Amino acid sequence: MALSLGEGGGGSRLRRQLESGGFAAGEYVKQLSQQSDGDRDLQEHRQRIQALSEETAQSLKRNVYQNYRQFIETAREISYLESEMYQLSHILTEQKGIMEAVTQALLLQADRDDPALGARRAAAADPFLPLSAKEAAASEEGRQRTLTTLLEKVEGCRDLLPESPGKYLVYNGDLVEYDADHMAQIQRVHAFLMNDCLLVATALPSRRGAYRYDALYPLDGLAVVNVKDNPPMKDMFKLLMFPESRIFQAENAKIKKEWLEVLEETKRSRALSEKRRLEQEALPRPAPAPPESTNPFDEDEEEEDEPSAEEEVVDLSLEWIQELPEDLDVCIAQRDFEGAVDLLDKLNEYLADKPASQPVKELRAKVDERVRQLTDVLVFELSPDRSLRGGPRATRRAVSQLIRLGQSTKACELFLKNRAAAVQTAIRQLRIEGATLLYIHKLCHVFFTSLLETAREFETDFAGNNGCYSAFVVWARSSMRMFVDAFSKQVFDSKESLSTAAECVKVAKEHCKQLSEIGLDLTFIIHALLVKDIKGALQSYKDIIIEATKHRNSEEMWRRMNLMTPEALGKLREEMRSCGVGNFDQYTGDDCWVNLSYTVVAFTKQTMAFLEEALKLYFPELHMVLLESLVEIILVAVQHVDYSLRCEQDPEKKAFIRQNASFLYETVLPVVEKRFEEGVGKPAKQLQDLRNASRLMRVNPESTTSVV
């Protein structure tokens, strides 16, 4: 039996079946499987259920939106009702005043014979006499002057608060803002309540009594809610502005009460004045009769002017324009950032060639408020407080929408701050292993991979904004400094050996070269940041070699080395060959003897090892440090040989010392010069001068010191 469900009756029957109270999904699927002829029927039924689900979702969305609009209308009606109640209260107050005036008149009638006594009674009965027109104008001017003086202390609000004759300051004071979710203190603010809006400004720490603009809320869309005291959270009230809310704390209960009362009073006054304005605008106004003219050409000129007047009228009655502010609110609430920016682009394109009439300005003001809300949401999306997972691509959505809103600079700044926090977090989460080299491999992989991904994402997001690339270079330098701090703390502060330090620096340089794939070379930055630590490591290791050489010199007996076994001799030959000494065989004797002193052999191995490790660390800024260290090390050995040669009296030992001196001058020093030139790329004149001076060394037989 084939399953047959029509689009009309079958769809409604299916809906009633799904909405029934006793509906069981398992039984329904089982029955459906038994009744269907095959997979095709099940697929068709699945599509119908999917269509019904989408239709239900759309209906629910429309109902939510309609309820939201009804809520706004209800709130507006309540506001109007409050205004009427306030007006009624005002009328009753006036009636009371009239009754008091009648009473006063009766008293004056009774005291007609004594005018002085009547005047005193009148003054006692009504101390607050009505202001004259001149006094009222002076009061209005004073309030506007006070508003102007206060707003001069707030940066960035001049363009947002254009001067208007009816705007004046009602109340202002300091408040403390708290987070609505966690009730944690956020910042101290200063609020300015005008007769039509509320301005919130934050204090500038650098300037006493000065503030920076934070937010502006029209009183029409502002709701005030009293927050019940819950110690230690007390003296608080909440401001509701769809779709956000903010909580403020007053200094004490009295000031909180004043804020609540003055806000409600100002809102009522605003609603009443707005209602009166609308009523006056609704009254028909007779058009003024144009003056009669005797010019016969005036009629033709008026006919020519009519089309131009019609062209200046901007049609804002389109449905999508009328619903634009509410649609933007819905998009922001649903986090449909792309849809919100698309609506803004559509509006800007529509108004691009239209004149800026008063209705257009009012529409722009409403839309600009939504743009600020959208910008704040996008900024929060990029803040480091949000989750840093997902890599650089997770920020692309918010960054692209900020760029479309014309906020490229802000998008660049927030993107780089987000990535800096992500890199810092990744470095902190690395476990410090026992082996330094293993940790450095992980550190370099994490840091340079993150840097490379950030650079590629930056190039994708800001391809058309060349001005932002300088900010990326500055950020890369700052991130490299953070990397070098972690690198140096693990490698140099822990006093690792020079060979380990050289391997770690080599690994960092190799990873740094990966950035050349995107045209970014930061090698010079890592050199500049590491030069101080490497200098310290070279000088420290140089001091260790000099101390060890001096210690061996103090115990020098000038005897040949006996390695005891051929294996030990072969190992020494291999070590000297790796040091670059190719003619070492001429200094070996019979059996396992070596015709060199232990001190000279140890000095040769230690000096060549130092040179090899130092060349791994070499870059131009270290040239003189490395050269001076080598000269100091070699001088210790040369001076010791010179001193021993002059002081030794035994002919055999003196000949042995000369043989060791020959090995130093003719074999070791040339090998050092050659290896240094190969590693650096240019000869070292100081080493050549040292070798030449050693050859021409003059010995003063009467002196026990040597001059090189």
Side-chain angles (χ1 to χ4, degrees), residues 131-145:
L131 293 175
S132 64
K134 184 176 180 180
E135 291 172 341
S139 176
E140 181 71 20
E141 183 180 355
R143 289 192 297 185
Q144 289 191 359
R145 190 183 301 114

Side-chain angles (χ1 to χ4, degrees), residues 57-315:
Q58 291 295 329
S59 177
L60 181 61
K61 187 175 179 181
R62 285 194 298 270
N63 290 337
V64 170
Y65 177 66
Q66 187 174 3
N67 290 338
Y68 172 66
R69 296 193 63 176
Q70 290 176 356
F71 173 76
I72 294 177
E73 293 296 332
T74 304
R76 189 174 294 124
E77 291 296 332
I78 293 174
S79 178
Y80 291 157
L81 182 59
E82 288 181 355
S83 301
E84 292 175 357
M85 294 297 294
Y86 174 75
Q87 187 176 5
L88 182 59
S89 174
H90 184 68
I91 293 172
L92 292 175
T93 304
E94 289 180 351
Q95 293 293 332
K96 180 181 177 183
I98 292 172
M99 297 298 294
E100 291 177 352
V102 171
T103 304
Q104 185 69 21
L106 293 175
L107 291 173
L108 289 175
Q109 183 69 23
D111 297 331
R112 184 179 302 169
D113 297 335
D114 191 354
L117 179 60
R120 286 196 298 272
R121 286 182 177 178
D126 189 11
F128 301 102
L129 295 177
L131 293 175
S132 64
K134 184 176 180 180
E135 291 172 341
S139 176
E140 181 71 20
E141 183 180 355
R143 289 192 297 185
Q144 289 191 359
R145 190 183 301 114
T146 303
L147 173 63
T148 304
T149 304
L150 286 176
L151 293 183
E152 284 178 354
K153 300 180 181 180
V154 182
E155 294 184 356
C157 72
R158 276 294 175 190
D159 298 335
L160 299 171
L161 285 174
E163 295 183 2
S164 59
K167 187 184 294 292
Y168 59 87
L169 183 67
V170 178
Y171 193 78
N172 74 96
D174 291 325
L175 297 170
V176 179
E177 182 177 4
Y178 280 77
D179 182 72
D181 296 327
H182 307 291
M183 298 305 291
Q185 183 175 334
I186 300 177
Q187 60 185 345
R188 304 185 73 82
V189 301
H190 195 92
F192 299 87
L193 177 62
M194 274 73 77
N195 59 322
D196 60 347
C197 61
L198 177 67
L199 172 66
V200 181
T202 57
L204 288 174
S206 59
R207 293 170 54 194
R208 185 179 181 86
Y211 305 96
R212 179 184 289 111
Y213 168 81
D214 181 69
L216 181 69
Y217 304 111
L219 292 183
D220 299 339
L222 188 68
V224 186
V225 179
N226 182 23
V227 178
K228 186 178 180 181
D229 290 350
N230 184 16
M233 302 302 174
K234 59 181 182 177
D235 304 330
M236 293 184 173
F237 60 91
K238 181 184 291 187
L239 297 181
L240 301 178
M241 308 78 60
F242 182 81
E244 61 175 321
S245 63
R246 300 176 72 170
I247 294 182
F248 298 99
Q249 183 184 48
E251 186 175 353
N252 51 49
K254 179 182 177 183
I255 296 179
K256 171 189 173 181
K257 182 179 179 182
E258 291 178 359
W259 269 109
L260 293 176
E261 291 178 352
V262 77
L263 279 168
E264 290 297 336
E265 184 70 22
T266 308
K267 281 172 58 65
R268 284 196 294 267
S269 301
R270 172 67 178 170
L272 181 60
S273 61
E274 186 69 17
K275 181 179 179 181
R276 289 175 178 173
R277 185 183 67 82
L278 293 175
E279 290 175 352
Q280 291 177 359
E281 291 179 354
L283 294 176
R285 296 181 180 178
E292 296 182 0
S293 175
T294 57
N295 188 353
F297 298 101
D298 283 349
E299 186 176 353
D300 296 337
E301 291 179 359
E302 291 176 0
E303 292 177 357
E304 292 177 0
D305 291 342
E306 286 179 1
S308 62
E310 291 178 358
E311 290 177 0
E312 294 181 358
V313 177
V314 181
D315 184 13

Side-chain angles (χ1 to χ4, degrees), residues 621-669:
E621 290 82 358
L622 297 172
H623 183 83
M624 291 307 301
V625 176
L626 176 57
L627 194 55
E628 291 171 359
S629 299
L630 281 173
V631 170
E632 288 184 38
I633 292 172
I634 293 172
L635 276 176
V636 173
V638 169
Q639 289 175 351
H640 173 65
V641 171
D642 175 31
Y643 178 79
S644 300
L645 192 61
R646 284 182 294 101
C647 296
E648 184 61 52
Q649 302 298 326
D650 187 355
E652 291 185 4
K653 284 191 176 183
K654 205 164 190 177
F656 181 68
I657 294 173
R658 288 196 183 96
Q659 189 174 8
N660 282 274
S662 174
F663 176 74
L664 279 177
Y665 301 147
E666 298 177 4
T667 303
V668 177
L669 291 184

